[in-house]
Amino acid sequence: MPAPPQLQQALSTALLELGLDPNEPKVRLSRPATSGHGDWSSNAALVCAKRLGVPPREVANQIASKVEALQPAHLKSVEVAGAGFVNFYLFDSWLHEELQQILVQGEEGYARTDLSKGERVQIEFVSANPTGPLHVGNGWWGAYGDSLARIMERCGFDVTREYYVNDTGGQIRRLGESLLKRKAGQQVGEDGYQGSYVAELAAQYRGPDDTMEAGRWAAGRILENIRSTLSRLNIVFDEWFSQASIEESGAVQETIDLLDKRGLVYEEDGAIWLRSAALGDSRDRVLIKSNGDPTYLAGDIAYHRNKFLIRGFDRVIDVFGADHHGQVPSLLAGVQALGVDPGRLEIRLGQMVSLAEGKMSKRQGNFVSLDSLIDDLGPDAVRLLSLMSSIDQATTLDLDLVRKQSMENPVYYIQYAHARISSIQRFAQAMGVERVSLDKVDLSLLTEEAELRLIRVLIKLPEVVIEACSDREPHKVTTWVRELAGTFHSFYHDLRVVGGDVPAEITQARLWLVEGVRIGLFIGLHLLGVSAPSSM
RNA sequence: GCCCCCGUAGCUCAGUGGAUAGAGCAACUGCCUUCUAAGCAGAUGGUCGCAGGUUCGAAUCCUGCCGGGGGCGCCA
């Protein structure tokens, strides 16, 4: 939340009068961590003191008295503290006004901003090969991509969610081989897909004994399952983009022609190479193998040409697993070779998710599928669990522990807060207490510390969403939602809303307060893709 | 060898330039005749991997080292 405009204005004026630049990048008006340091605090004196050759506390004193003289709205007192911080204490009226605004804006409007500058963004994520069920890591990075999309949408971006389907080449052949071997009752080799799902598919396969045909059929079936698994997690894609379609449309050849025209390809050892070493990669890369097949990279560059130059996305965010880290420099080089500013392509790497029980491998089929984890914990818990920490953090899941905790999972803690508020609202109605309209309620009756604390947390949301968006870190929303839920539970314990001997006007003010909290929880949970139940 | 990520309480993780470092789980003590105890309150628990550097100020930025994970294909 930005500081009250009058306070910002007064501070700027004060700084200017002292010959200081209010737009100095390191100068901040921010909320201190502890309430003992005021509602807002400026570090201007610390930043500027050296240049002035005056002790910081002295500068701070001058700033303090100038701001005080300007008497900005809501300002109660100013103090100089620590090494030279100027701390501002505001009247509660500031918080009451903020709450009022939140209630006016509601679920739709609150914490909605426009950072987009009109950008169309594509986020490509999951994109797991259709050769087996999704694993837990796909769910982790999938929740990340989808929540990032939701957050960016709330910040005004036009977002397309896309899944790149790897439905071509050696994998499909290998899948087809595995299927046919299973069907014929033979052993699947070491380099085949050994999971039991292959046997299940083999039993259903009615097509000819053609490797590619069987492979494509199986991939199609698997993709259907992937789609339904993802939808259990509230992940829905706008576009499923087929790699085969890129190859069959001749787009790969067109792309290579384009690169050739730019003088960035050459032939050697019967293969076609990209001069990627000249574009930041550690070496040159093969685009067309000596057997005439395009490499994965060639298809990927053609795909990114489609993203940037055909469909015209302003910005593309690719979410990959860290095991694909090696292909990043090549892809960036390829994009640059197309003449696209590589700054328009962001690649976020999700660190690996593993199980305490041991390593997972899709080929060997001994992994815990995302589906079974969802069966185990429920979709909300899986989604929230995956959005608790940064994707830069490698995760080791201890299933026993997670299962044991699932009844005391953070997800219930948060949802319970939302359900409790709904319950209060139901109770009020049952008692015949109707909420008066917003222009009739006197929010200034909210003076208890537990009430004010709640508003202080609630008003952080817009800034949290903005930060989560620009840092591409959805888990910041999770952190905030947990804090709000905790603050609410504490409030709930301390103060009654309806009934008891609470005066009617206070009940009204508190009903609106908890509605504000409900709005915050609802928005936060929605951005995380977690449901907000009205009862539990 | 080179590249990326991580190292914070017993465990899982927040905090990434501000003033006494936070939460959940585990362990301890209290709180339900009152709007949902899936909750609340209190106490316990930390050389922020190590060593330098930058800064008025570093868990946060820079360098080196140690430890863990991932990657360096005419595989995808």
Side-chain angles (χ1 to χ4, degrees), chain A residues 74-102:
Chain A
H74 304 301
L75 185 68
K76 182 158 62 178
S77 62
V78 187
E79 69 170 18
V80 172
F85 290 100
V86 183
N87 296 337
F88 304 100
Y89 291 82
L90 305 186
F91 288 111
D92 298 344
S93 57
W94 165 56
L95 294 171
H96 300 141
E97 229 167 67
E98 294 281 334
L99 175 61
Q100 169 92 19
Q101 279 180 29
I102 291 167

mmCIF file of all heavy atoms in Angstrom, chain A residues 74-102:
data_model
loop_
_atom_site.group_PDB
_atom_site.id
_atom_site.type_symbol
_atom_site.label_atom_id
_atom_site.label_comp_id
_atom_site.label_asym_id
_atom_site.label_seq_id
_atom_site.Cartn_x
_atom_site.Cartn_y
_atom_site.Cartn_z
ATOM 1 N N HIS A 74 -4.067 13.157 8.644
ATOM 2 C CA HIS A 74 -3.889 11.943 9.446
ATOM 3 C C HIS A 74 -2.625 11.961 10.315
ATOM 4 O O HIS A 74 -2.434 11.060 11.126
ATOM 5 C CB HIS A 74 -3.858 10.667 8.586
ATOM 6 C CG HIS A 74 -5.067 10.479 7.725
ATOM 7 N ND1 HIS A 74 -6.336 10.390 8.246
ATOM 8 C CD2 HIS A 74 -5.205 10.370 6.383
ATOM 9 C CE1 HIS A 74 -7.213 10.212 7.255
ATOM 10 N NE2 HIS A 74 -6.553 10.214 6.116
ATOM 11 N N LEU A 75 -1.738 12.931 10.135
ATOM 12 C CA LEU A 75 -0.470 12.873 10.876
ATOM 13 C C LEU A 75 -0.693 13.203 12.345
ATOM 14 O O LEU A 75 -1.218 14.259 12.679
ATOM 15 C CB LEU A 75 0.550 13.846 10.273
ATOM 16 C CG LEU A 75 1.940 13.759 10.931
ATOM 17 C CD1 LEU A 75 2.616 12.435 10.610
ATOM 18 C CD2 LEU A 75 2.823 14.919 10.501
ATOM 19 N N LYS A 76 -0.257 12.269 13.202
ATOM 20 C CA LYS A 76 -0.395 12.473 14.642
ATOM 21 C C LYS A 76 0.895 13.045 15.215
ATOM 22 O O LYS A 76 0.899 14.049 15.896
ATOM 23 C CB LYS A 76 -0.743 11.154 15.326
ATOM 24 C CG LYS A 76 -0.954 11.285 16.823
ATOM 25 C CD LYS A 76 -1.793 10.130 17.397
ATOM 26 C CE LYS A 76 -1.136 8.784 17.232
ATOM 27 N NZ LYS A 76 -1.927 7.697 17.836
ATOM 28 N N SER A 77 2.019 12.373 14.916
ATOM 29 C CA SER A 77 3.288 12.873 15.457
ATOM 30 C C SER A 77 4.454 12.373 14.614
ATOM 31 O O SER A 77 4.315 11.442 13.814
ATOM 32 C CB SER A 77 3.459 12.414 16.904
ATOM 33 O OG SER A 77 3.503 11.005 16.938
ATOM 34 N N VAL A 78 5.579 13.035 14.811
ATOM 35 C CA VAL A 78 6.788 12.679 14.078
ATOM 36 C C VAL A 78 7.906 12.518 15.093
ATOM 37 O O VAL A 78 7.974 13.277 16.063
ATOM 38 C CB VAL A 78 7.193 13.797 13.094
ATOM 39 C CG1 VAL A 78 8.358 13.350 12.224
ATOM 40 C CG2 VAL A 78 6.022 14.203 12.227
ATOM 41 N N GLU A 79 8.764 11.526 14.894
ATOM 42 C CA GLU A 79 9.910 11.401 15.794
ATOM 43 C C GLU A 79 11.149 11.030 14.989
ATOM 44 O O GLU A 79 11.056 10.487 13.881
ATOM 45 C CB GLU A 79 9.658 10.323 16.853
ATOM 46 C CG GLU A 79 9.631 8.931 16.255
ATOM 47 C CD GLU A 79 9.624 7.798 17.267
ATOM 48 O OE1 GLU A 79 9.303 8.046 18.436
ATOM 49 O OE2 GLU A 79 9.931 6.663 16.865
ATOM 50 N N VAL A 80 12.280 11.366 15.544
ATOM 51 C CA VAL A 80 13.543 10.953 14.948
ATOM 52 C C VAL A 80 14.082 9.821 15.801
ATOM 53 O O VAL A 80 14.109 9.914 17.021
ATOM 54 C CB VAL A 80 14.531 12.131 14.902
ATOM 55 C CG1 VAL A 80 15.903 11.650 14.476
ATOM 56 C CG2 VAL A 80 14.022 13.197 13.941
ATOM 57 N N ALA A 81 14.454 8.730 15.163
ATOM 58 C CA ALA A 81 14.864 7.565 15.942
ATOM 59 C C ALA A 81 16.036 6.863 15.270
ATOM 60 O O ALA A 81 16.324 7.084 14.097
ATOM 61 C CB ALA A 81 13.693 6.601 16.088
ATOM 62 N N GLY A 82 16.675 6.002 16.038
ATOM 63 C CA GLY A 82 17.773 5.209 15.516
ATOM 64 C C GLY A 82 18.889 6.086 14.982
ATOM 65 O O GLY A 82 19.184 7.141 15.525
ATOM 66 N N ALA A 83 19.461 5.669 13.892
ATOM 67 C CA ALA A 83 20.614 6.375 13.344
ATOM 68 C C ALA A 83 20.207 7.673 12.644
ATOM 69 O O ALA A 83 21.037 8.514 12.353
ATOM 70 C CB ALA A 83 21.340 5.472 12.364
ATOM 71 N N GLY A 84 18.902 7.813 12.374
ATOM 72 C CA GLY A 84 18.448 9.019 11.683
ATOM 73 C C GLY A 84 17.185 8.778 10.886
ATOM 74 O O GLY A 84 16.929 9.442 9.888
ATOM 75 N N PHE A 85 16.396 7.804 11.327
ATOM 76 C CA PHE A 85 15.104 7.573 10.688
ATOM 77 C C PHE A 85 14.125 8.655 11.130
ATOM 78 O O PHE A 85 14.167 9.104 12.274
ATOM 79 C CB PHE A 85 14.528 6.212 11.104
ATOM 80 C CG PHE A 85 15.284 5.050 10.533
ATOM 81 C CD1 PHE A 85 16.215 4.359 11.299
ATOM 82 C CD2 PHE A 85 15.056 4.644 9.227
ATOM 83 C CE1 PHE A 85 16.919 3.292 10.772
ATOM 84 C CE2 PHE A 85 15.753 3.572 8.699
ATOM 85 C CZ PHE A 85 16.690 2.904 9.465
ATOM 86 N N VAL A 86 13.253 9.050 10.220
ATOM 87 C CA VAL A 86 12.153 9.937 10.582
ATOM 88 C C VAL A 86 10.893 9.089 10.571
ATOM 89 O O VAL A 86 10.493 8.575 9.528
ATOM 90 C CB VAL A 86 12.006 11.103 9.583
ATOM 91 C CG1 VAL A 86 10.893 12.042 10.043
ATOM 92 C CG2 VAL A 86 13.317 11.859 9.449
ATOM 93 N N ASN A 87 10.299 8.908 11.760
ATOM 94 C CA ASN A 87 9.138 8.036 11.871
ATOM 95 C C ASN A 87 7.859 8.838 12.023
ATOM 96 O O ASN A 87 7.801 9.771 12.825
ATOM 97 C CB ASN A 87 9.290 7.104 13.075
ATOM 98 C CG ASN A 87 10.479 6.159 12.905
ATOM 99 O OD1 ASN A 87 10.902 5.901 11.771
ATOM 100 N ND2 ASN A 87 11.018 5.662 13.994
ATOM 101 N N PHE A 88 6.862 8.449 11.250
ATOM 102 C CA PHE A 88 5.577 9.151 11.266
ATOM 103 C C PHE A 88 4.522 8.270 11.907
ATOM 104 O O PHE A 88 4.353 7.113 11.533
ATOM 105 C CB PHE A 88 5.142 9.501 9.838
ATOM 106 C CG PHE A 88 6.169 10.320 9.090
ATOM 107 C CD1 PHE A 88 7.023 9.727 8.174
ATOM 108 C CD2 PHE A 88 6.284 11.681 9.332
ATOM 109 C CE1 PHE A 88 7.978 10.470 7.498
ATOM 110 C CE2 PHE A 88 7.243 12.446 8.654
ATOM 111 C CZ PHE A 88 8.087 11.841 7.742
ATOM 112 N N TYR A 89 3.808 8.861 12.861
ATOM 113 C CA TYR A 89 2.681 8.172 13.490
ATOM 114 C C TYR A 89 1.400 8.806 12.981
ATOM 115 O O TYR A 89 1.272 10.021 12.992
ATOM 116 C CB TYR A 89 2.767 8.286 15.008
ATOM 117 C CG TYR A 89 3.921 7.508 15.597
ATOM 118 C CD1 TYR A 89 5.204 8.051 15.617
ATOM 119 C CD2 TYR A 89 3.737 6.222 16.107
ATOM 120 C CE1 TYR A 89 6.273 7.338 16.146
ATOM 121 C CE2 TYR A 89 4.797 5.505 16.636
ATOM 122 C CZ TYR A 89 6.068 6.065 16.656
ATOM 123 O OH TYR A 89 7.118 5.347 17.159
ATOM 124 N N LEU A 90 0.466 7.957 12.535
ATOM 125 C CA LEU A 90 -0.774 8.479 11.977
ATOM 126 C C LEU A 90 -1.952 8.188 12.904
ATOM 127 O O LEU A 90 -1.923 7.247 13.700
ATOM 128 C CB LEU A 90 -1.054 7.839 10.606
ATOM 129 C CG LEU A 90 0.058 7.969 9.562
ATOM 130 C CD1 LEU A 90 -0.418 7.419 8.226
ATOM 131 C CD2 LEU A 90 0.509 9.410 9.399
ATOM 132 N N PHE A 91 -2.989 9.000 12.786
ATOM 133 C CA PHE A 91 -4.234 8.730 13.502
ATOM 134 C C PHE A 91 -4.909 7.510 12.876
ATOM 135 O O PHE A 91 -4.702 7.197 11.701
ATOM 136 C CB PHE A 91 -5.182 9.932 13.408
ATOM 137 C CG PHE A 91 -4.738 11.103 14.240
ATOM 138 C CD1 PHE A 91 -4.277 12.269 13.645
ATOM 139 C CD2 PHE A 91 -4.783 11.032 15.638
ATOM 140 C CE1 PHE A 91 -3.862 13.344 14.411
ATOM 141 C CE2 PHE A 91 -4.372 12.119 16.409
ATOM 142 C CZ PHE A 91 -3.906 13.274 15.795
ATOM 143 N N ASP A 92 -5.757 6.847 13.664
ATOM 144 C CA ASP A 92 -6.476 5.670 13.164
ATOM 145 C C ASP A 92 -7.374 6.010 11.975
ATOM 146 O O ASP A 92 -7.749 5.127 11.207
ATOM 147 C CB ASP A 92 -7.340 5.071 14.281
ATOM 148 C CG ASP A 92 -6.490 4.604 15.456
ATOM 149 O OD1 ASP A 92 -5.266 4.461 15.263
ATOM 150 O OD2 ASP A 92 -7.041 4.387 16.545
ATOM 151 N N SER A 93 -7.711 7.291 11.842
ATOM 152 C CA SER A 93 -8.579 7.692 10.730
ATOM 153 C C SER A 93 -7.981 7.258 9.391
ATOM 154 O O SER A 93 -8.703 6.950 8.447
ATOM 155 C CB SER A 93 -8.773 9.209 10.743
ATOM 156 O OG SER A 93 -7.512 9.854 10.689
ATOM 157 N N TRP A 94 -6.662 7.228 9.348
ATOM 158 C CA TRP A 94 -5.988 6.758 8.126
ATOM 159 C C TRP A 94 -6.426 5.334 7.787
ATOM 160 O O TRP A 94 -6.819 5.035 6.654
ATOM 161 C CB TRP A 94 -4.470 6.819 8.340
ATOM 162 C CG TRP A 94 -3.688 6.048 7.334
ATOM 163 C CD1 TRP A 94 -3.733 6.207 5.981
ATOM 164 C CD2 TRP A 94 -2.763 4.984 7.584
ATOM 165 N NE1 TRP A 94 -2.892 5.309 5.371
ATOM 166 C CE2 TRP A 94 -2.280 4.561 6.337
ATOM 167 C CE3 TRP A 94 -2.279 4.368 8.742
ATOM 168 C CZ2 TRP A 94 -1.345 3.531 6.214
ATOM 169 C CZ3 TRP A 94 -1.349 3.361 8.626
ATOM 170 C CH2 TRP A 94 -0.891 2.940 7.371
ATOM 171 N N LEU A 95 -6.391 4.451 8.788
ATOM 172 C CA LEU A 95 -6.769 3.053 8.565
ATOM 173 C C LEU A 95 -8.254 2.925 8.226
ATOM 174 O O LEU A 95 -8.636 2.117 7.384
ATOM 175 C CB LEU A 95 -6.437 2.216 9.804
ATOM 176 C CG LEU A 95 -4.933 2.102 10.103
ATOM 177 C CD1 LEU A 95 -4.705 1.460 11.463
ATOM 178 C CD2 LEU A 95 -4.235 1.290 9.015
ATOM 179 N N HIS A 96 -9.070 3.727 8.887
ATOM 180 C CA HIS A 96 -10.506 3.663 8.605
ATOM 181 C C HIS A 96 -10.794 4.037 7.161
ATOM 182 O O HIS A 96 -11.624 3.434 6.495
ATOM 183 C CB HIS A 96 -11.271 4.596 9.563
ATOM 184 C CG HIS A 96 -11.078 4.237 11.006
ATOM 185 N ND1 HIS A 96 -10.935 5.161 12.012
ATOM 186 C CD2 HIS A 96 -10.959 3.026 11.606
ATOM 187 C CE1 HIS A 96 -10.760 4.540 13.158
ATOM 188 N NE2 HIS A 96 -10.767 3.243 12.947
ATOM 189 N N GLU A 97 -10.062 5.030 6.678
ATOM 190 C CA GLU A 97 -10.256 5.449 5.297
ATOM 191 C C GLU A 97 -9.799 4.353 4.319
ATOM 192 O O GLU A 97 -10.447 4.090 3.310
ATOM 193 C CB GLU A 97 -9.458 6.730 5.038
ATOM 194 C CG GLU A 97 -10.264 7.819 4.359
ATOM 195 C CD GLU A 97 -9.549 9.146 4.418
ATOM 196 O OE1 GLU A 97 -8.477 9.269 3.777
ATOM 197 O OE2 GLU A 97 -10.042 10.058 5.106
ATOM 198 N N GLU A 98 -8.667 3.726 4.652
ATOM 199 C CA GLU A 98 -8.159 2.645 3.801
ATOM 200 C C GLU A 98 -9.176 1.501 3.727
ATOM 201 O O GLU A 98 -9.433 0.952 2.652
ATOM 202 C CB GLU A 98 -6.829 2.108 4.344
ATOM 203 C CG GLU A 98 -5.678 3.113 4.298
ATOM 204 C CD GLU A 98 -5.068 3.240 2.913
ATOM 205 O OE1 GLU A 98 -5.145 2.272 2.129
ATOM 206 O OE2 GLU A 98 -4.519 4.319 2.604
ATOM 207 N N LEU A 99 -9.720 1.142 4.886
ATOM 208 C CA LEU A 99 -10.704 0.052 4.926
ATOM 209 C C LEU A 99 -11.922 0.406 4.068
ATOM 210 O O LEU A 99 -12.424 -0.412 3.309
ATOM 211 C CB LEU A 99 -11.126 -0.235 6.364
ATOM 212 C CG LEU A 99 -12.240 -1.285 6.534
ATOM 213 C CD1 LEU A 99 -11.814 -2.644 5.975
ATOM 214 C CD2 LEU A 99 -12.645 -1.421 7.999
ATOM 215 N N GLN A 100 -12.350 1.629 4.231
ATOM 216 C CA GLN A 100 -13.490 2.121 3.450
ATOM 217 C C GLN A 100 -13.250 1.892 1.956
ATOM 218 O O GLN A 100 -14.102 1.390 1.226
ATOM 219 C CB GLN A 100 -13.658 3.616 3.748
ATOM 220 C CG GLN A 100 -14.618 4.349 2.831
ATOM 221 C CD GLN A 100 -16.025 4.365 3.388
ATOM 222 O OE1 GLN A 100 -16.219 4.155 4.586
ATOM 223 N NE2 GLN A 100 -17.009 4.592 2.532
ATOM 224 N N GLN A 101 -12.063 2.246 1.511
ATOM 225 C CA GLN A 101 -11.744 2.112 0.084
ATOM 226 C C GLN A 101 -11.741 0.653 -0.366
ATOM 227 O O GLN A 101 -12.205 0.320 -1.453
ATOM 228 C CB GLN A 101 -10.378 2.719 -0.217
ATOM 229 C CG GLN A 101 -10.446 4.227 -0.359
ATOM 230 C CD GLN A 101 -9.082 4.828 -0.651
ATOM 231 O OE1 GLN A 101 -8.236 4.175 -1.259
ATOM 232 N NE2 GLN A 101 -8.875 6.053 -0.211
ATOM 233 N N ILE A 102 -11.191 -0.211 0.491
ATOM 234 C CA ILE A 102 -11.159 -1.635 0.154
ATOM 235 C C ILE A 102 -12.579 -2.145 -0.039
ATOM 236 O O ILE A 102 -12.883 -2.868 -0.987
ATOM 237 C CB ILE A 102 -10.446 -2.437 1.264
ATOM 238 C CG1 ILE A 102 -8.966 -2.098 1.280
ATOM 239 C CG2 ILE A 102 -10.667 -3.930 1.078
ATOM 240 C CD1 ILE A 102 -8.237 -2.597 2.517
#
